[in-house]
Amino acid sequence: MDADCELMLQVKKGEVAAFNQILEKYQGPIINFVYRFVGSREKAEEIAQEVFLRIYLARGRYRVRAKFSTYIYRIAKNLSLNTLRKRKLRIISLNQPIPGKNGEIEREFADSSQISPAEVLAKKEAGARVKKALDSLPAPQKTAIILNRYNDLSYEEIGKVMNLSLPAVKSLLHRAKESLRKRLKGVNYTPPPHILPLKGGGKRWG
């Protein structure tokens, strides 16, 4: 049995320490996952808190039907999409930095001190086109890519989170990749791993 499922079964029995272990492991990943949808650190933390609250309140009804990560990401996905529908918040680009609690951010590009100004500009321009292309994807395609790339879920796990069959997940990601390739034709940019594997291993899209 999945170790996290075992922890959740302990939570079901009233073990608060087990819930704290789950919280410690998943709090950061869930906040970052939600942030990719809502574009606000404060809102992401609020939704993540709701995710864990729902899990805790429903502990008595918990049954092991899939990996715990599938269970928690499904809840986070549903709450994120519900928030977007209600408040019409902008879906954030996968390439936009995530602000940390202490002001630090994840940066996509290398330290500018290590490359020339021309290279920095070229990378920023390419990144802007990638951002626009990613933001143009339909929500299901973007959800699948976020789960696969940033949360390292397998196709099977994505299917369970999104209530899709394995062929449907593969088709969804394939369409997303093809759409991005068309929109990014000629862009000299190295895509993040797991999203857009290029034929021949080249860096140019199209």
Side-chain angles (χ1 to χ4, degrees):
M1 182 188 298
D2 180 71
D4 294 333
C5 288
E6 292 182 352
L7 280 175
M8 192 60 205
L9 289 175
Q10 293 178 36
V11 174
K12 184 177 180 179
K13 296 177 181 178
E15 295 290 338
V16 177
F19 184 75
N20 287 336
Q21 289 184 56
I22 289 174
L23 184 63
E24 182 177 354
K25 178 176 180 179
Y26 284 97
Q27 186 175 40
I30 291 298
I31 289 174
N32 287 339
F33 172 73
V34 174
Y35 178 83
R36 298 291 176 183
F37 288 92
V38 302
S40 163
R41 179 84 191 192
E42 182 179 359
K43 176 57 65 175
E45 291 178 347
E46 179 183 323
I47 294 174
Q49 184 177 19
E50 177 68 17
V51 170
F52 289 105
L53 178 61
R54 289 195 179 195
I55 288 174
Y56 188 76
L57 292 178
R59 64 191 184 281
R61 301 190 301 274
Y62 179 74
R63 300 289 186 276
V64 179
R65 296 188 176 93
K67 291 180 64 176
F68 182 78
S69 58
T70 300
Y71 173 64
I72 193 170
Y73 279 117
R74 181 184 295 131
I75 296 173
K77 179 209 68 172
N78 290 339
L79 288 176
S80 297
L81 293 178
N82 286 342
T83 298
L84 287 176
R85 293 188 190 103
K86 291 177 181 178
R87 305 196 178 192
K88 298 181 180 179
L89 294 177
R90 178 176 60 86
I91 297 179
I92 195 164
S93 166
L94 294 178
N95 287 313
Q96 185 164 331
I98 297 179
K101 292 184 177 180
N102 298 318
E104 72 277 7
I105 59 176
E106 296 178 1
R107 297 189 180 277
E108 178 185 6
F109 302 124
D111 186 341
S112 59
S113 65
Q114 299 176 4
I115 56 179
S116 70
E119 289 176 315
V120 172
L121 179 60
K123 286 181 178 292
K124 286 184 177 180
E125 290 177 346
R129 287 189 60 182
V130 172
K131 174 184 182 299
K132 184 176 180 179
L134 288 168
D135 285 341
S136 72
L137 293 177
Q141 293 182 18
K142 192 165 189 178
T143 299
I145 285 180
I146 292 173
L147 288 168
N148 184 236
R149 169 61 180 86
Y150 284 90
N151 299 96
D152 201 28
L153 268 65
S154 67
Y155 284 10
E156 291 81 2
E157 291 169 330
I158 293 171
K160 291 177 181 177
V161 170
M162 300 183 69
N163 294 318
L164 296 173
S165 66
L166 181 58
V169 171
K170 291 181 178 180
S171 176
L172 193 67
L173 287 171
H174 175 74
R175 292 198 304 272
K177 294 172 186 177
E178 289 303 310
S179 177
L180 290 172
R181 284 195 182 97
K182 291 178 181 178
R183 291 176 180 274
L184 296 171
K185 185 176 182 180
V187 174
N188 191 15
Y189 178 83
T190 303
H194 311 310
I195 294 182
L196 296 172
L198 301 180
K199 295 180 180 179
K203 293 185 179 181
R204 183 175 295 277
W205 288 349

